[in-house]
Amino acid sequence: MNQFPYSLDNKRYHTYNYFLKTKYKSKIAKVSLNAGFTCPNRDGTCGTGGCIFCSQNGSGDFAGNINDSLQEQFNKISQVMRKKWPQCQFIAYFQANTNTYGSIDKLKKTFEPFINKKDVVAIAIATRPDCLNDDICDYLYELSQKCDLYIELGLQTIHDQTATLINRGHDYQTFVAAVQRLRQRQINICVHIINGLPYETYDMMLETAKAVGQMDIQGLKIHNLFILKNTKIYQMYQEKPFPLLSRDEYISLVVEQLSYIPHHIVIERLTGDAPIQDLFEPLWSIKKVTILNDIDKLMRLKNIYQGDKINKNL
């Protein structure tokens, strides 16, 4: 193979840019919104405090201002993006907290104003697997018949001992069942995983990627762990520091993980973003572009493409 077929810029993995430009024939940007939802591991349903790595914004540090209406959030953010990309179209991305954790009526009022909104090509909804019962999934199926829909589903790890430690509030089998319910309705799924969770080994993180690669999913986001100030994981680290991935370890791990992800799965992210003023560790994560460049370099050096090992050594 001389060139990976799912890239427009000589990447060796199925880029999100390729997917969006091929599907929508236009520049597409995500507008991150805060719809005011909470999470079941915040309000006491299955726990309190949320995942230990989450800020008070519930993984929505770059989402819109919760004090603004969703329409105001969308307009403010999209106007800024339009200055950079005048012909841009948008995905309305409900990012903060758990965006299916509410009544069907609330979900309708949240999502449906964006179905026929000018320049919105799709809706993306970030949620948890324990907030996707059959009624919710039936509604999401109805929504998917009216617009392009992507469910961003947090997994983080397949290892239940880690899930307990980070206060996820659900186990791996709950995630597997949620994927099955969504795919029975042909709803597109992008899974989130995190590298560097406390006390996980290289092999454990690789096992998570291998397991995800064997699922019926359409997209994957790989994040590095952030320790943000004033979070539970920050307090944990202050009391008893645990090993953190170095920059080189992270890059090497991601390249190996990609080799076990089938070609058709879109790689939406290979490193994360954190508010610089709140970031405690790892400080190397700030230089995101250089990390992505070095992932590319290592893939070329090792002559690895996404999915190369999918039929080997599983």
Side-chain angles (χ1 to χ4, degrees), residues 61-62 228-230 274-280 286:
D61 294 294
F62 298 104
L228 301 180
K229 299 168 188 175
N230 302 314
I276 294 176
Q277 68 276 11
D278 297 327
L279 181 63
F280 175 68
I286 294 172

Side-chain angles (χ1 to χ4, degrees), residues 27-246:
K27 170 63 182 176
I28 305 295
K30 275 184 170 177
V31 175
S32 296
L33 304 170
N34 189 334
F37 288 93
T38 183
C39 295
N41 63 347
R42 285 180 179 268
D43 68 3
T45 299
C46 65
T48 57
C51 296
I52 63 173
F53 50 76
C54 261
S55 69
Q56 289 303 307
N57 294 318
S59 293
D61 294 294
F62 298 104
N65 188 335
I66 194 172
N67 296 314
D68 292 337
S69 71
L70 287 171
Q71 296 297 330
E72 289 171 332
Q73 291 179 43
F74 182 89
N75 291 339
K76 288 179 179 179
I77 297 170
S78 62
Q79 285 170 11
V80 171
M81 291 177 169
R82 272 271 161 73
K83 291 178 181 178
K84 185 174 183 180
W85 303 297
Q87 303 304 316
C88 188
Q89 294 181 290
F90 304 102
I91 295 175
Y93 178 26
F94 296 86
Q95 181 182 25
N97 291 301
T98 304
N99 292 276
T100 60
Y101 189 44
S103 67
I104 299 294
D105 185 58
K106 181 177 181 179
L107 302 191
K108 288 181 177 180
K109 290 178 180 177
T110 300
F111 306 137
E112 297 196 6
F114 291 86
I115 291 175
N116 296 311
K117 189 173 179 64
K118 182 182 178 182
D119 297 331
V120 173
V121 300
I123 292 173
I125 300 171
T127 190
R128 291 164 50 96
D130 55 350
C131 297
L132 289 167
N133 61 32
D134 281 330
D135 288 343
I136 295 290
C137 289
D138 286 343
Y139 168 67
L140 294 176
Y141 172 74
E142 293 176 15
L143 188 62
S144 73
Q145 300 305 293
K146 301 173 184 176
C147 66
D148 286 352
L149 177 67
Y150 306 99
I151 299 300
E152 301 216 2
L153 191 57
L155 169 61
Q156 321 317 352
T157 177
I158 66 169
H159 303 287
D160 285 341
Q161 67 268 37
T162 307
T164 299
L165 177 65
I166 65 176
N167 197 39
R168 277 301 288 173
H170 66 78
D171 61 11
Y172 178 48
Q173 287 308 311
T174 300
F175 173 85
V176 172
V179 169
Q180 291 172 343
R181 278 194 294 273
L182 289 169
R183 292 305 297 150
Q184 284 168 357
R185 296 163 175 84
Q186 297 182 312
I187 296 171
N188 295 311
I189 302 169
C190 175
V191 174
H192 295 211
I193 64 174
I194 296 178
N195 288 330
L197 291 170
Y199 307 110
E200 287 212 340
T201 65
Y202 182 99
D203 286 343
M204 291 172 72
M205 291 178 262
L206 188 56
E207 286 168 5
T208 291
K210 288 180 180 180
V212 168
Q214 295 179 63
M215 293 182 179
D216 181 13
I217 66 168
Q218 290 64 55
L220 177 64
K221 284 186 176 181
I222 302 177
H223 289 255
N224 43 301
L225 175 70
F226 294 126
I227 299 180
L228 301 180
K229 299 168 188 175
N230 302 314
T231 59
K232 287 195 172 184
I233 200 168
Y234 176 76
Q235 296 170 6
M236 177 192 297
Y237 190 83
Q238 294 298 307
E239 294 168 4
K240 185 181 179 182
F242 51 85
L244 299 175
L245 288 174
S246 70

